[in-house]
Amino acid sequence: MVRRRVYTSLYASFLFTVLGSVAWATGQPFIFPSLGPTAFVLAFDRHGGRDRARRVIGSHLIGAVAGLGAYLLVAAGVTLVESPAPASLDGLRLAASGTISIAATSWAMIATDTNHAPACATTLIVSLGLLSTPRAAATIVLAVVVLVATHEVTLAIAGSVRARLVG
């Protein structure tokens, strides 16, 4: 049990270090809150297979697109960097954007069998005006692809090393 805790913690940190390094080198938002839970899920259950990669990437893509659509539809120009004034129009627009994005993301994930709960955080990050440009949404999806690719490559290397040692 202790070994699993240590391994999961270190592996999730490794996955996030790769993203942090890309963010640092490029100056782009390759790290954002919903990737923390995604890194944990990949690290905790390492044997999800190709279907998990499709679900993780697909769900965050859905979240980014739904969030951007909701934001552009009802809250463009408003950003949740501090609490809006009570009963303000900006607060209402952000609340509506968040609600629409969660509904659209949930529906689309179920319809496409790409269920991955952290994508609901992605859709809120975008729909609440935090990373709400087409470029930022594309960067979000690219960051998820880098995370999943790093995971897949790491597992392949580990499997190859294990096979050489054992076999």
Side-chain angles (χ1 to χ4, degrees), residues 1 50 59 103 106 112 122 133 144 148 152:
M1 188 59 84
R50 284 276 179 223
S59 66
S106 299
T112 59
T122 294
T133 64
V144 173
V148 170
E152 296 288 328

Side-chain angles (χ1 to χ4, degrees), residues 115-148:
N115 304 338
H116 178 65
C120 288
T122 294
T123 204
L124 289 174
I125 289 165
V126 178
S127 67
L128 296 177
L130 301 174
L131 293 172
S132 302
T133 64
R135 180 177 177 161
T139 301
I140 286 171
V141 175
L142 183 57
V144 173
V145 169
V146 168
L147 177 69
V148 170

Side-chain angles (χ1 to χ4, degrees), residues 4-92:
R4 184 169 190 183
R5 291 178 196 149
V6 169
Y7 178 84
T8 298
S9 300
L10 291 175
Y11 186 55
S13 296
F14 163 73
L15 292 173
F16 225 75
T17 297
V18 171
L19 290 174
S21 298
V22 174
W24 175 74
T26 64
Q28 296 299 312
F30 273 77
I31 53 175
F32 46 90
S34 55
L35 283 189
T38 297
F40 172 78
V41 166
L42 293 173
F44 185 75
D45 182 14
R46 297 175 305 280
H47 307 292
R50 284 276 179 223
D51 188 53
R52 179 176 340 156
R54 181 188 67 79
R55 281 193 328 267
V56 169
I57 293 169
S59 66
H60 283 284
L61 173 64
I62 288 167
V65 170
L68 186 59
Y71 179 75
L72 294 174
L73 182 67
V74 296
V78 182
T79 303
L80 184 64
V81 291
E82 60 184 49
S83 295
S88 69
L89 181 57
D90 284 350
L92 178 61

